[in-house]
Amino acid sequence: MHLSIIMDGNGRWAKAKGLNRTEGHKKGAEVVKDITTFCANNDKINYLSLYAFSTENWKRPKYEVDFLMKLLDNWLKKELDTYLENEVRFEVIGDISKFSDKLRKRINITKEKTKHFTKLTQVLALNYGSKDEITRAVKKLCNEKKEITEENINRYLDTSIHNIPDVDLLIRTSGEIRVSNFLLWQIAYAEMFFTNTLWPNFTTKELEEIIKNFEKRERRYGGI
Ligand code: FPP
């Protein structure tokens, strides 16, 4: 199954502790590691997509954007071993052409070194926005003079290009009940869970509870 998470609440977690927002992102990155390792070792989960940086996040103060870019670069360098040990394939969705050469190189190295793994595909959404993804897909179809059909649009989405199926379960942390331009097309039939827990406090135990609850839900895909 494909589990998707909108990791929200890093800033509020830090503020409540009297810390800078960047400390929240640092702690958030540690949670990413725990959750990824858990999913890699859970037979039911094959895809884990994480909203790490949206097309709207550029609006944040420059120091926070710079910090997130640096954190990502360091994280990919440091956590390559985690990917290798847990047999996790690393993938990216979103338009990373705006990222620095250094970061793009790091992303490509991580993808290349992990591309043969099949236990889990971890998908980071980077400079990702669903409307942007759909627009890019339709533009490509027009440029190639292909027919605009549901099937063709689907085929040109970033997820399909990287063989990532639609979402089964979407979780958002921090109490906000919205999807914020994340995988709008791919969540058409996803089950959704919203928890008040701030992302830095999210645990594998809570994830286990949510999965148990998800398994009890009856999914009808529009049928009866
Ligand atoms: C939302 O919290 C979080 C983000 C916009 C960034 C997500 C980044 C991480 C979890 C850490 C880095 C990830 C990796 C993979 C290294 P917020 O800042 O919107 O929190 P707030 O709503 O409380 O202000």
Side-chain angles (χ1 to χ4, degrees):
M1 84 165 183
H2 179 175
L3 166 66
S4 196
I5 309 181
I6 301 176
M7 312 178 287
D8 197 9
N10 294 347
R12 275 163 285 166
W13 178 88
K15 197 173 167 213
K17 288 187 152 20
L19 301 169
N20 194 297
R21 292 178 54 82
T22 52
E23 292 301 313
H25 297 315
K26 249 198 243 170
K27 180 72 172 59
E30 286 172 27
V31 177
V32 170
K33 179 178 174 169
D34 289 349
I35 297 296
T36 303
T37 309
F38 171 87
C39 292
N41 294 290
N42 180 311
D43 290 342
K44 289 175 210 152
I45 303 167
N46 315 98
Y47 299 86
L48 169 68
S49 54
L50 303 167
Y51 208 3
F53 195 87
S54 79
T55 46
E56 286 73 37
N57 285 153
W58 298 104
K59 287 187 237 158
R60 295 188 175 207
K62 187 174 181 297
Y63 84 90
E64 186 172 338
V65 171
D66 289 348
F67 180 88
L68 282 167
M69 295 296 150
K70 184 103 195 91
L71 178 68
L72 183 63
D73 190 41
N74 287 339
W75 197 80
L76 288 176
K77 187 161 76 179
K78 206 171 105 231
E79 297 308 330
L80 178 62
D81 285 347
T82 307
Y83 290 110
L84 300 177
E85 274 162 30
N86 293 283
E87 299 176 26
V88 175
R89 171 170 80 115
F90 171 74
E91 256 312 336
V92 168
I93 53 170
D95 177 10
I96 59 164
S97 64
K98 268 198 191 166
F99 287 10
S100 70
D101 287 351
K102 184 168 175 259
L103 182 52
R104 270 188 294 143
K105 213 178 260 172
R106 172 86 56 213
I107 287 169
N108 288 331
I109 289 172
T110 314
K111 281 169 60 158
E112 187 57 33
K113 290 198 169 163
T114 62
K115 67 179 183 196
H116 54 292
F117 291 135
T118 54
K119 257 172 89 177
L120 176 75
T121 297
Q122 185 215 53
V123 185
L124 286 194
L126 298 172
N127 190 24
Y128 177 86
S130 199
K131 291 183 177 183
D132 175 65
E133 179 191 36
I134 295 168
T135 307
R136 283 188 284 109
V138 173
K139 264 192 194 153
K140 206 163 149 196
L141 280 175
C142 290
N143 287 341
E144 294 178 11
K145 303 205 167 13
K146 296 223 167 74
E147 202 187 344
I148 308 290
T149 61
E150 203 174 297
E151 207 185 8
N152 276 344
I153 294 173
N154 191 53
R155 192 174 295 147
Y156 279 58
L157 295 176
D158 294 353
T159 42
S160 304
I161 291 167
H162 299 300
N163 289 317
I164 299 153
D166 280 355
V167 178
D168 297 292
L169 169 58
L170 174 75
I171 301 172
R172 181 172 188 145
T173 59
S174 93
E176 311 289 356
I177 320 279
R178 53 175 177 262
V179 288
S180 303
N181 204 13
F182 191 41
L183 299 171
L184 299 180
W185 182 287
Q186 298 89 336
I187 59 170
Y189 287 101
E191 297 292 323
M192 298 191 194
F193 281 78
F194 299 91
T195 167
N196 288 330
T197 306
L198 302 175
W199 177 250
N201 290 329
F202 192 71
T203 60
T204 56
K205 190 162 173 284
E206 182 167 3
L207 176 57
E208 273 180 303
E209 289 301 317
I210 294 174
I211 292 170
K212 252 189 238 161
N213 195 324
F214 163 78
E215 285 173 334
K216 281 191 221 136
R217 291 192 185 181
E218 188 194 356
R219 303 178 74 196
R220 292 193 294 273
Y221 302 96
I224 50 167

